[in-house]
Amino acid sequence: MTEGKSTPENPWPVRTVARKLLDWINRLGDVWVEGQVTQLNARSSTAFLTLRDPSVDMSMSITCNASMIRELQLTEGSRVIAHGKISFYPNRGTLSLRADDIRAVGVGELLARIERLRKLLHAEGLFDPRRKRRPPFLPNKIGLITGRASAAERDVLTNARNRWPGAHFRVVNVAVQGPMAVTQVMTALSTLERDPECDVIIIARGGGSVEDLLPFSDEALCRAVSQCRTPVLSAIGHEPDTPLLDHVADLRCSTPTDAGKRVVPDVAEESERVRQMRDRGRRALHGWVDRERKLLDALRSRPVLSDPYGPLDRRAEEVNRFRDQGRRAVTQRLDREDVHLSGTKARLTTLGPAATLARGYAVVQLVTPDGPDGVLRSVTDAPSGTQLRVRVVDGAVQALVTKAEGGGTDDA
């Protein structure tokens, strides 16, 4: 009977599933695996240990010859590379690696790996200064990730509160070395990241060997810090220690003491700065008031403000003077024109016929029915029998000729 595909109508028994798992695992063959040693138990001939992934909460069981453990002098926390074949125990449903070769990872190899990881993270831009955020000037709450009752915790808290007594901390104690360090630090980082009151996070640890500081060069931790929205301060080890976390964090502090000094301002310095700013503001205000007072005094001393009616009076005098000058000029012009008109009138009067008549003279023009007939120089020039009468029409003297024969009169 073929097994076929498992279905609700045709389920596989446990032995079938276990056998298939065993077949799949056997096809995997030999593997090399790396991790940190935990729960080491070396018996007389066989050693049992747990190999843990330092970046995540995963582990696997390993069995090997106890002589390997004694030759390498392995202890819990040692970083090793093991070679072997995965074994599946169907009766218990468990996996185990039967190691035939275990090698300790030396410091040189660890440093080489850290250097390769450093180049990788740098190429991805995680060390770029432009992505780093400036910590707040005075954070509302400070998150602190450090070891329990450690010197690093004491240094950060003491120095921060000496500088700013009102500094408020939320401390999360974790393992800062060993196989559980990376997982616990990442969990604490996530917890503080979700706290809306936490404005800055400090990851602090005292000095130690290269192996002790390895968790703070872990790739998973570095990437978690780079993705935090809250600014992160790295205070790992002493001044010469530079784990990769220092390059990824927003601010590197040389020591936990330095972190305590840089996370908050110094209340004495800030008080002095406030006093200096107040003095500068007072001097600036006094200087401005003095300048404005001098300007007001200068404006007040100007004639237009000291004697506002004086210019008006002077302008009124000028208006009166110009008015008198205009009146005199018009009067003089009228007088001249009046004199000129009188002279012209006198000349016209002299040349007019009225003046001639007034002196007893007349210019007589003989007008006949046929029209003017010249000027009579004397009465004797008139034809005999003609009667003459003289009248002035529009200033001109005309002769009226009367014919004696007919007794009639003909006016021209």
Side-chain angles (χ1 to χ4, degrees):
M1 179 179 179
T2 58
E3 296 173 351
K5 186 177 180 180
S6 64
T7 63
E9 294 76 14
N10 184 28
W12 290 347
V14 174
R15 62 181 179 275
T16 301
V17 176
R19 187 177 66 253
K20 288 182 176 293
L21 287 175
L22 181 61
D23 293 339
W24 290 337
I25 292 172
N26 288 335
R27 287 198 296 269
L28 180 63
D30 298 344
V31 294
W32 287 94
V33 62
E34 179 185 359
Q36 268 186 323
V37 176
T38 61
Q39 300 179 2
L40 178 60
N41 184 10
R43 297 182 178 179
S44 58
S45 59
T46 303
F48 298 90
L49 57 98
T50 301
L51 198 63
R52 183 182 182 84
D53 190 320
S55 299
V56 294
D57 190 11
M58 291 185 181
S59 61
M60 66 181 306
S61 299
I62 295 181
T63 60
C64 65
N65 196 311
S67 60
M68 297 182 186
I69 305 298
R70 289 191 290 268
E71 290 176 3
L72 296 175
Q73 297 181 354
L74 296 181
T75 59
E76 290 189 4
S78 299
R79 184 73 66 95
V80 299
I81 300 175
H83 177 268
K85 186 176 181 180
I86 301 294
S87 298
F88 178 69
Y89 300 95
N91 295 337
R92 298 192 304 269
T94 60
L95 292 172
S96 178
L97 176 67
R98 179 65 184 180
D100 55 26
D101 187 9
I102 297 180
R103 302 176 185 178
V105 179
V107 175
E109 176 63 22
L110 293 176
L111 293 177
R113 293 181 182 180
I114 292 175
E115 181 61 21
R116 288 195 295 270
L117 180 58
R118 186 191 68 80
K119 292 179 179 180
L120 174 63
L121 298 180
H122 184 272
E124 294 181 7
L126 270 65
F127 298 168
D128 191 348
R130 292 175 296 183
R131 58 164 295 276
K132 297 182 183 297
R133 293 145 300 194
R134 183 186 297 274
F137 172 73
L138 184 59
N140 179 44
K141 181 189 290 185
I142 305 168
L144 176 59
I145 302 174
T146 187
R148 183 180 302 276
S150 61
E153 177 181 357
R154 183 176 61 255
D155 290 344
V156 172
L157 297 179
T158 301
N159 285 276
R161 287 169 176 164
N162 285 341
R163 290 171 60 84
W164 196 271
H168 182 51
F169 282 86
R170 179 180 178 181
V171 181
V172 180
N173 295 120
V174 297
V176 292
Q177 69 182 55
M180 301 298 294
V182 174
T183 303
Q184 293 187 11
V185 171
M186 292 178 61
T187 302
L189 186 67
S190 176
T191 301
L192 295 177
E193 173 76 2
R194 293 193 301 268
D195 188 346
E197 297 182 355
C198 190
D199 296 333
V200 65
I201 300 173
I202 301 175
I203 302 177
R205 186 204 190 283
S209 63
V210 175
E211 294 85 348
D212 294 338
L213 300 181
L214 279 179
F216 302 99
S217 293
D218 185 82
E219 181 178 2
L221 177 58
C222 291
R223 295 188 182 278
V225 170
S226 68
Q227 295 173 0
C228 283
R229 297 185 301 271
T230 307
V232 178
L233 276 65
S234 174
I236 307 300
H238 301 299
E239 180 67 31
D241 298 325
T242 54
L244 295 183
L245 183 63
D246 286 349
H247 301 287
V248 179
D250 297 289
L251 180 63
R252 176 187 181 269
C253 303
S254 58
T255 61
T257 300
D258 185 40
K261 293 180 179 179
R262 301 181 68 172
V263 72
V264 292
D266 187 353
V267 65
E269 293 179 359
E270 296 305 318
S271 299
E272 178 63 20
R273 185 175 291 110
V274 169
R275 187 191 63 79
Q276 294 177 358
M277 295 295 293
R278 186 184 295 113
D279 293 341
R280 289 176 55 187
R282 185 183 296 106
R283 290 194 298 269
L285 180 60
H286 288 174
W288 178 79
V289 171
D290 292 340
R291 288 193 302 272
E292 295 302 319
R293 182 183 293 111
K294 292 178 181 179
L295 178 61
L296 290 176
D297 293 340
L299 293 175
R300 193 182 297 112
S301 63
R302 291 183 179 181
V304 69
L305 293 179
S306 61
D307 184 16
Y309 294 103
L312 296 177
D313 294 339
R314 288 191 293 272
R315 295 297 181 270
E317 293 176 358
E318 292 180 359
V319 170
N320 293 332
R321 185 172 65 254
F322 290 147
R323 184 179 57 194
D324 294 341
Q325 291 178 357
R327 184 181 293 110
R328 287 194 298 270
V330 172
T331 302
Q332 292 176 0
R333 181 63 180 271
L334 292 176
D335 292 343
R336 287 197 301 271
E337 296 300 327
D338 185 57
V339 172
H340 179 69
L341 183 61
S342 299
T344 303
K345 182 178 179 181
R347 288 195 298 274
L348 291 175
T349 303
T350 303
L351 297 175
T356 303
L357 294 176
R359 292 196 303 269
Y361 298 94
V363 177
V364 180
Q365 183 179 26
L366 179 61
V367 179
T368 64
D370 297 330
D373 191 15
V375 178
L376 296 179
R377 297 184 179 277
S378 66
V379 177
T380 57
D381 293 337
S384 60
T386 301
Q387 292 182 349
L388 298 177
R389 286 189 302 173
V390 179
R391 69 177 181 181
V392 178
V393 180
D394 295 332
V397 180
Q398 296 180 349
L400 300 178
V401 181
T402 305
K403 294 182 179 180
E405 293 82 3
T409 300
D410 190 1
D411 296 334

